[in-house]
Amino acid sequence: MNLTGRHFLTLKDYTREEILYLLDLAETLKEKKKKHIPVDVLRGRNVALIFEKTSTRTRCSFEVAAHDLGMGTTYLDPSGSQIGKKESIRDTARVLGSMFEGIEYRGYGQEIVEELAAYAGVPVWNGLTNEYHPTQMLADMLTIREHFGTLEGRKLVYMGDARYNMGNSYMVTCAKLGLHYTACAPASYFPGKELTEECRKYAAESGGSVTLTEDADEAVRGADIICTDVWVSMGEPDEVWEERIRALSPYKVTADIMNKAGEQAIFLHCLPSFHDLGTEVGRKIHERFGIADMEVTDEVFESAQSLVFEEAENRMHTIKAVMAATLGAEL
Ligand code: CP
Ligand code: NVA
């Protein structure tokens, strides 16, 4: 398997074998990290980390992973670069591509990361756009595989806004890897028709399936993995909160939902999560709408079925695998 020079933008352009190869590599890198075996084979190289939206996990994962691989990093924060304001994406891509061996981009439209990739001349990695969050998918799949031992045939149910980056990405990844994907949401929050059709084609090849339903009780029965995400994503306007709370509250992940799924089910969330009043946003929403949690209850979040912190750790190991593979690291 040789992924040298490849971009990492949606996972749509990766085969099942390539995705599994990245998971295997992540597993190896994780083992080495635990045993303190150095993997700094990319010494002397540098990567640029562009964040037009904020981050804890993705930024730290790219930085730690790059440093473990021996690379230098330059972090460009949401206000610290000329991108899009005084310099076009195309020009930025050519400038950064001449100085760095790889570029991570987190920001808004998918077309921005695609344009960066088209002009950079070095691998570009999508660290989250409005439409996709592919590095998160590798972490989730690694966590699922570590827990159950297998991916194929597992039933994954995503509850919430299934039209956005996390919902879209779960649908793509499950369909590629032969999992049974269910988007459980009000119909107006179902993923787009075109992407759904595309994923159904992947699923027909992999033995997976794609189901869209509004019926939460029916959706979660026998599920292996229940996932959710925040109801309002970064960059969305404050005005949408009211409508989201109204529409998505029936799809909150509660103890009742987990019980209906069964005791085999695990809970995943990309984080950050609004499961208590420990955040500024959580407290503001509590004042405005009187609710103390949103997409998941604190009870489920803190339960033994919740693997959210294992999932968060796996961000680093999987991102390391993506950089190592696409930069041609010999490990
Ligand atoms: N899950 C995730 O991408 O987290 P951050 O926004 O903290 O990077
Ligand atoms: N849907 C969320 C994911 C955060 C990791 C957002 O885009 O804000």
Side-chain angles (χ1 to χ4, degrees):
M1 184 69 66
N2 185 354
L3 301 179
T4 309
R6 292 273 296 273
H7 301 300
F8 189 79
L9 302 176
T10 67
L11 280 186
K12 282 197 279 179
D13 49 344
Y14 275 66
T15 64
R16 175 179 172 277
E17 290 68 32
E18 288 168 344
I19 300 170
L20 293 177
Y21 168 78
L22 288 171
L23 294 181
D24 292 344
L25 180 57
E27 208 170 77
T28 307
L29 289 165
K30 184 170 178 175
E31 262 171 45
K32 288 194 170 158
K33 177 88 175 169
K34 302 281 173 202
K35 292 183 187 154
H36 305 291
I37 299 171
V39 294
D40 53 342
V41 295
L42 296 177
R43 276 186 306 276
R45 304 207 203 174
N46 291 285
V47 294
L49 309 176
I50 307 172
F51 283 81
E52 297 207 272
K53 290 176 179 169
T54 53
S55 166
T56 297
R57 276 146 293 273
T58 311
R59 176 187 175 180
C60 294
S61 296
F62 270 99
E63 291 206 12
V64 172
H67 298 161
D68 283 356
L69 289 167
M71 298 194 287
T73 52
T74 297
Y75 171 68
L76 295 165
D77 77 12
S79 61
S81 75
Q82 316 283 22
I83 301 165
K85 296 168 212 106
K86 285 171 65 184
E87 192 158 32
S88 67
I89 301 303
R90 200 183 289 201
D91 292 355
T92 306
R94 288 177 288 181
V95 171
L96 296 181
S98 72
M99 296 182 195
F100 295 93
E101 275 78 19
I103 303 170
E104 179 276 353
Y105 174 83
R106 162 172 289 199
Y108 296 88
Q110 180 68 17
E111 69 284 357
I112 302 174
V113 77
E114 307 268 351
E115 194 175 350
L116 263 181
Y119 291 96
V122 297
V124 169
W125 309 298
N126 178 358
L128 177 145
T129 57
N130 296 345
E131 291 83 357
Y132 296 104
H133 198 3
T135 61
Q136 180 73 50
M137 290 303 113
L138 295 183
D140 285 37
M141 293 300 136
L142 182 61
T143 311
I144 295 167
R145 199 172 72 171
E146 284 174 341
H147 182 79
F148 291 110
T150 56
L151 290 169
E152 246 173 304
R154 297 276 158 208
K155 177 176 178 183
L156 184 149
V157 181
Y158 175 80
M159 307 191 61
D161 185 352
R163 323 157 294 181
Y164 217 70
N165 43 26
M166 286 300 295
N168 287 343
S169 294
Y170 276 128
M171 184 165 68
V172 170
T173 311
C174 290
K176 285 264 174 177
L177 297 182
L179 286 83
H180 299 294
Y181 175 70
T182 300
C184 181
S188 55
Y189 288 83
F190 283 171
K193 280 205 168 60
E194 204 177 311
L195 184 65
T196 306
E197 285 317 309
E198 204 176 331
C199 290
R200 287 204 161 118
K201 284 186 196 136
Y202 303 147
E205 278 175 36
S206 70
S209 60
V210 172
T211 305
L212 314 180
T213 178
E214 294 192 289
D215 184 340
D217 291 353
E218 179 60 30
V220 301
R221 193 174 307 141
D224 297 300
I225 308 112
I226 306 279
C227 321
T228 188
D229 183 19
V230 290
W231 289 342
V232 177
S233 286
M234 289 183 276
E236 295 199 281
D238 245 13
E239 296 79 70
V240 301
W241 275 110
E242 194 170 344
E243 151 64 14
R244 294 291 162 81
I245 291 169
R246 194 187 52 72
L248 298 176
S249 287
Y251 300 91
K252 181 193 298 261
V253 182
T254 59
D256 181 48
I257 285 288
M258 293 305 291
N259 289 340
K260 281 182 177 135
E263 61 185 19
Q264 78 293 337
I266 59 168
F267 171 72
L268 295 181
H269 189 312
C270 61
L271 307 182
S273 159
F274 296 122
H275 58 93
D276 60 14
L277 298 178
T279 66
E280 204 181 297
V281 175
R283 286 190 292 274
K284 277 193 185 143
I285 295 301
H286 178 62
E287 271 170 39
R288 265 175 83 186
F289 302 102
I291 54 173
D293 54 33
M294 286 183 250
E295 70 277 4
V296 56
T297 62
D298 197 47
E299 186 182 7
V300 171
F301 187 91
E302 296 293 352
S303 70
Q305 283 169 290
S306 169
L307 298 187
V308 295
F309 296 109
E310 287 84 347
E311 180 187 5
E313 177 192 331
N314 282 338
R315 295 298 308 287
M316 200 282 287
H317 305 298
T318 46
I319 281 174
K320 193 185 285 176
V322 170
M323 288 196 288
T326 57
L327 295 177
E330 288 186 18
L331 285 158

